[in-house]
Amino acid sequence: MTPGRFITLEGGEGAGKTTQGALLAAALCARGRPVLRTREPGGAPRAEALRGFILAHGGWDAQAEMALHVAARREHWAALIAPALAAGITVVSDRFHDSTWAYQVAGQGAPAAAFDALHEALLPDARPHLTVLLDIPPEAGLRRARDPNRYEALGAAFHRRVHEGFLARAAAEPSRFLCLDARQPREAVAAAILERALAA
Ligand code: TMP
């Protein structure tokens, strides 16, 4: 059995990840590829419980907050993503580890070495084949965001650091990332994503 492809969608608030993830999944399904749509934080039942907890409570030490996201990710990976990939299913996830780097490391100041150590220890094999960065200036994204959560209230400087964090991640691994201007028409973004996903 050929393992499935693992595709992640990343970006700040209001970038259109959910819309584009749904369009991508539908287009792949229409071509006969089995697809699992999922999201982070969450995705699997216990990880969704952690999502509710993380989004309901703020004020964490940055490393504690990072560890909560990584715990949810480990559960998501073990319970849902890894078995799906092993079964030949393409997994499309709204957010994955790059969000932790952008929000907790770049945004909240958690040490990059702690991020690396946690992922190396708990998720050594969890590497997306393709990551789509839907890039949008944070001010424009926050205006478009449809489902407000506590991170949106963290202020313009925080969201600028998150934005820079995503761009730095993409620059460090250009072969994994497809960077797109999220302000382009929805159909143009979807077509560019599908082309790369079919080749991933
Ligand atoms: P969502 O709004 O994209 O569903 O994600 C919920 C929030 O969680 C979003 O504001 C980004 C934040 N987040 C982190 O801070 N760290 C992470 O590792 C992940 C996956 C999400």
Side-chain angles (χ1 to χ4, degrees), residues 13 40-41 51 55 69 73 95 99-100 103-104 149 151:
E13 313 297 326
E40 287 209 348
R51 175 192 177 94
L55 294 182
H69 278 288
R73 179 160 308 123
R95 301 194 183 279
S99 277
T100 305
Y103 281 78
Q104 277 68 55
N149 65 55
Y151 288 99

Side-chain angles (χ1 to χ4, degrees), residues 62-79:
Q63 293 192 64
E65 185 155 345
M66 177 161 71
L68 287 171
H69 278 288
V70 178
R73 179 160 308 123
R74 170 67 212 179
E75 176 66 18
H76 185 204
W77 174 259

Side-chain angles (χ1 to χ4, degrees), residues 126-140:
R127 190 167 185 279
H129 297 101
L130 169 65
T131 298
V132 178
L133 176 58
L134 294 171
D135 187 35
I136 188 163
E139 300 76 19

Side-chain angles (χ1 to χ4, degrees), residues 4 15 24 47 70 85 95 105 107 116 121 126 154 162 173 175 179 197-198:
L24 175 62
V70 178
L85 294 174
R95 301 194 183 279
V105 176
D116 289 342
L154 289 181
V162 169
E173 272 187 84
S175 60
C179 297
L198 290 172

Side-chain angles (χ1 to χ4, degrees), residues 39-171:
R39 68 169 181 181
E40 287 209 348
R46 289 171 185 79
E48 285 289 332
L50 275 176
R51 175 192 177 94
F53 184 72
I54 293 168
L55 294 182
H57 303 283
W60 301 99
D61 164 76
Q63 293 192 64
E65 185 155 345
M66 177 161 71
L68 287 171
H69 278 288
V70 178
R73 179 160 308 123
R74 170 67 212 179
E75 176 66 18
H76 185 204
W77 174 259
L80 199 74
I81 300 177
L85 294 174
I89 296 168
T90 292
V91 175
V92 177
S93 183
D94 288 14
R95 301 194 183 279
F96 197 66
H97 66 325
D98 298 301
S99 277
T100 305
W101 205 93
Y103 281 78
Q104 277 68 55
V105 176
Q108 296 182 305
F115 171 94
D116 289 342
L118 279 171
H119 282 85
E120 182 63 32
L122 300 182
L123 291 142
D125 305 321
R127 190 167 185 279
H129 297 101
L130 169 65
T131 298
V132 178
L133 176 58
L134 294 171
D135 187 35
I136 188 163
E139 300 76 19
L142 287 166
R143 278 198 300 276
R144 286 188 353 174
R146 280 182 306 199
D147 192 11
N149 65 55
R150 72 173 173 85
Y151 288 99
E152 286 175 31
L154 289 181
F158 170 79
H159 288 285
R160 277 195 293 275
R161 291 196 297 277
V162 169
H163 183 236
E164 291 301 318
F166 277 126
L167 293 178
R169 280 299 270 183

